[in-house]
Amino acid sequence: MTSDHEMIRQRVKALLDKPGNGNCADCGAAGPEWASYTLGVFVCQSCSGLHRNIAQISKVKSLVLDPWSPSELEFMDSVGNDAAKAIYEQLVPAFYYCPTFKDCTVLRDQWIRAKYERKEFLCVEKQEPYSAGYREGFLWKRGRDNGQYLSRKFILSEREGVLKYFNKHDAKEPKAIMKINTLNATFQPSKMGTAHGLQITYLKDNSTRNVFVYHEDGKEIVDWFNAIRAARLRYLQVAFPLALNSELLPKVTRNYLKEGYMEKTGPKHTEGFKKRWFTMDDRRLMYFKDPLDAYARGEVFIGSQENGYVVLPDLPSTIQGHHWPFGITIVTPDRKFVFACETEVEQKEWITAFLTVINRPMLPQEYAG
């Protein structure tokens, strides 16, 4: 005779086997083991913790450890992830960043709040903070020289095609003007040491300039991020009128392929190796003395294999001196760049990042850049 517990376990398994329920409703992680029995969605353990932040709307239980009543299972069966998404995500703008399990907490937390608490995707009027084409407000910005965070006024203007900030609240002229056509934004909580840290980059005289900002309010910083994405998408739609949104969206903002420390030597390969922070931003490999430097000490363009770019998992035999044990050589049409990694895992991750772009044919606009 089958026990009640076993029947419930089989019922839960059958619910998870239904289309859409095999992944977390909020971040897409496989094999959710929790569920919101008030919203009718199946979620991963990480997102279940974020649902507890909106306990007045979402109440969660473990599918494995907690007891489930027949009426609760009936409700879960009547809703499920696909039906819930059809309701709570029905008007998500194309530019809006929908986070995955790989993304930072503030992005996932605000995505969950936007869907279930604020119901932003049921009514376009609620999306005005990031879809209006203009945004003004104050962010904490890291000083380029002293590293202190000070309150600065920022204005994003889609009409002018710029993001600008002012050193004084009543200043008439901006301290910096960042053109939307080279703008990028990516969350960097670990690197910046703040949960809501956002790294904004733009090109200044064809060199990458970093601006590090944050806001205490998670909604504010995520709204800024999505406002930048909205402005970027509209710029790309004008610049490439024949392109599909599916082709443009990966270019709206981008996360870095890889970041971390490596050692480098100079062009003659006779100088001593120095430890530097490296960032792989698509085809730009940049290195910094400190991860939060405003400007890179140098940049290397990584082309494609048909242009003569090759990555090798070792160092030239002529290299001497003390350095980390796991080498990488990037062969370009002009010279060889040599780097050393502290661990074999780091070496493999960097090689994978380099191959991602080397194995990809270059686009016409990349030749122009």
Side-chain angles (χ1 to χ4, degrees):
M1 184 174 177
T2 306
S3 67
D4 289 347
H5 177 76
E6 179 62 21
M7 287 178 64
I8 288 173
R9 192 186 69 81
Q10 291 177 3
R11 184 79 188 277
V12 167
K13 184 180 182 303
L15 288 175
L16 289 172
D17 287 340
K18 292 182 69 174
N21 293 347
N23 295 84
C24 174
D26 299 319
C27 75
E33 294 186 345
W34 291 73
S36 168
Y37 60 92
T38 53
L39 293 172
V41 295
F42 298 87
V43 296
C44 67
Q45 184 175 3
S46 180
C47 287
S48 75
L50 300 176
H51 275 253
R52 288 193 174 92
N53 294 336
I54 53 169
Q56 72 281 13
I57 295 164
S58 181
K59 299 188 184 302
V60 294
K61 290 204 296 188
S62 168
L63 294 168
V64 179
L65 303 174
D66 292 325
W68 285 82
S69 68
S71 61
E72 288 170 339
L73 291 173
E74 202 64 47
F75 176 70
M76 296 300 301
D77 193 16
S78 69
V79 186
N81 288 1
D82 284 353
K85 285 186 178 186
I87 298 169
Y88 295 107
E89 298 180 24
Q90 59 182 285
L91 296 175
V92 178
F95 62 79
Y96 195 95
Y97 189 87
C98 304
T100 72
F101 58 90
K102 296 179 181 180
D103 284 300
C104 62
T105 301
V106 69
L107 274 171
R108 291 183 294 112
D109 178 56
Q110 290 303 313
W111 170 236
I112 286 169
R113 289 178 180 273
K115 286 202 292 184
Y116 308 120
E117 184 181 46
R118 299 191 294 266
K119 296 182 172 61
E120 289 179 13
F121 311 123
L122 275 69
C123 177
V124 291
E125 286 76 15
K126 292 185 177 182
Q127 300 168 14
E128 190 174 342
Y130 45 80
S131 65
Y134 181 89
R135 186 174 175 85
E136 183 177 325
F138 291 91
L139 296 171
W140 293 97
K141 177 193 167 291
R142 188 178 191 272
R144 186 183 68 183
D145 300 318
N146 59 20
Q148 288 184 320
Y149 283 91
L150 298 171
S151 179
R152 295 290 183 252
K153 179 181 178 181
F154 280 76
I155 294 177
L156 175 68
S157 173
E158 193 180 296
R159 182 179 58 81
E160 296 177 45
V162 299
L163 172 67
K164 48 193 175 183
Y165 76 86
F166 301 78
N167 260 2
K168 295 181 179 178
H169 295 178
D170 58 352
K172 296 286 192 295
E173 296 298 323
K175 173 68 175 176
I177 298 175
M178 305 165 242
K179 292 184 178 179
I180 286 172
N181 65 330
T182 68
L183 204 61
N184 186 44
T186 181
F187 278 92
Q188 295 277 18
S190 298
K191 185 163 82 170
M192 293 174 60
T194 175
H196 300 167
L198 186 69
Q199 180 176 349
I200 298 171
T201 62
Y202 66 102
L203 289 185
K204 184 177 181 181
D205 302 324
N206 207 36
S207 294
T208 303
R209 165 81 159 95
N210 295 323
V211 177
F212 298 97
V213 299
Y214 76 91
H215 197 284
E216 301 94 330
D217 187 299
K219 182 182 185 304
E220 275 290 308
I221 198 67
V222 173
D223 281 354
W224 271 105
F225 175 61
N226 280 304
I228 290 170
R229 285 180 58 84
R232 282 277 303 158
L233 179 58
R234 285 164 191 146
Y235 157 75
L236 290 167
Q237 287 169 337
V238 172
F240 306 100
L242 300 180
L244 301 173
N245 265 4
S246 58
E247 297 172 301
L248 299 178
L249 286 171
K251 306 177 190 303
V252 170
T253 57
R254 59 198 179 274
N255 295 325
Y256 299 135
L257 293 175
K258 170 75 178 161
E259 283 195 292
Y261 284 107
M262 290 193 290
E263 291 181 331
K264 68 172 288 294
T265 185
K268 296 181 181 179
H269 301 171
T270 55
E271 303 89 337
F273 277 78
K274 294 180 180 178
K275 180 181 174 183
R276 294 290 182 259
W277 178 267
F278 283 81
T279 295
M280 186 74 182
D281 182 7
D282 197 48
R283 292 193 183 274
R284 282 178 182 260
L285 177 66
M286 299 168 281
Y287 63 90
F288 307 82
K289 191 171 183 180
D290 183 271
L292 299 182
D293 282 347
Y295 289 98
R297 293 295 180 97
E299 299 189 17
V300 180
F301 180 82
I302 309 294
S304 61
Q305 58 185 3
E306 60 258 38
N307 300 114
Y309 288 80
V310 179
V311 59
L312 304 172
D314 52 28
L315 297 176
S317 58
T318 55
I319 294 293
Q320 298 179 348
H322 178 76
H323 54 76
W324 281 342
F326 300 96
I328 298 174
T329 300
I330 295 180
V331 181
T332 78
D334 299 320
R335 57 169 279 200
K336 292 180 180 179
F337 294 89
V338 296
F339 310 106
C341 301
E342 190 171 15
T343 67
E344 188 176 8
V345 171
E346 279 287 298
Q347 179 201 42
K348 288 180 178 178
E349 288 179 355
W350 275 110
I351 288 173
T352 299
F354 293 138
L355 288 175
T356 298
V357 294
I358 287 175
N359 291 338
R360 191 182 75 213
M362 283 179 57
L363 300 171
Q365 55 266 39
E366 290 176 324
Y367 282 103

